[in-house]
Amino acid sequence: MSATKFIRGECEHCGGHLEFPADVAGTVTNCPHCSQSTELRVSTGETVSRAPVKTILFIVLAVVILGGGLAGAMIALHRARRMSSQFRPAPVTNSIVAANPFAAQEFSASPVKIETAAGTKVTRAIGSVKNLSTKRRFGVHVEIELKDEAGKVLDPAKDYTPTLEPGAEWRFNALVLPKSATSGRVTTITEDK
């Protein structure tokens, strides 16, 4: 029986495992794995542990999963906000109130036209008032401010309707007494209580 002690080493090129007699350590030989010339050296015993590689892979996988979950949550939140804004009524802005000074009373008024009927000397202020509420309105009065060509305010024109149904539009036709009236606008809408 031979008393030769075999030791283990690695190829310096391919890292392949080599087993050789201890007395030939330090010599050069061809690697049986890659066929390149390598020095037979004793392995230092340093082995690369697989634990850090597995840990790193686990951490990377966990970060990818968490990142995907966070991205999905952000997308869902964005969609929920967009969908809720579609069902939210538009806020009332000052420009809407300025465009309809009667909005608080749930009325709206059209622009006023001053017309003289053909073949007569009767002048009328013509326009409309709309009931924006969901209830019937009783005794609706309208007052129209009249102005002449120079912008001088004249005596107002007035009209009345006994009822105005919800969502209905009343076409007023108010008698204009001042013959110099050229323009008008609704200044007051009231109803009997």
Side-chain angles (χ1 to χ4, degrees), residues 114-164:
I114 306 297
E115 294 182 358
T116 303
T120 69
K121 294 184 180 183
V122 177
T123 304
R124 301 275 182 178
I126 300 170
S128 64
V129 170
K130 186 171 184 177
N131 179 2
L132 302 176
S133 74
T134 58
K135 62 182 182 179
R136 179 183 290 170
R137 312 300 277 272
F138 296 98
V140 178
H141 298 265
V142 65
E143 186 170 302
I144 300 118
E145 176 186 75
L146 300 172
K147 292 185 179 181
D148 64 12
E149 191 74 34
K152 179 182 173 192
V153 177
L154 307 170
D155 290 336
K158 298 178 183 181
D159 203 357
Y160 165 84
T161 187
T163 60
L164 187 55

Side-chain angles (χ1 to χ4, degrees), residues 176-189:
V176 174
L177 296 177
K179 299 299 177 199
S180 60
T182 57
S183 67
R185 70 178 179 92
V186 176
T187 54
T188 308
I189 301 174

Side-chain angles (χ1 to χ4, degrees), residues 89-101:
V92 176
T93 62
N94 290 340
S95 63
I96 294 172
V97 172
N100 181 11

Side-chain angles (χ1 to χ4, degrees), residues 32-63:
H33 305 289
C34 67
S35 301
Q36 292 194 27
S37 193
T38 185
E39 182 180 349
L40 297 175
R41 288 186 270 171
V42 178
S43 180
T44 58
E46 295 179 36
T47 58
V48 178
S49 171
R50 290 280 181 195
V53 173
K54 288 181 181 176
T55 303
I56 291 170
L57 287 176
F58 177 75
I59 290 172
V60 168
L61 182 62
V63 168

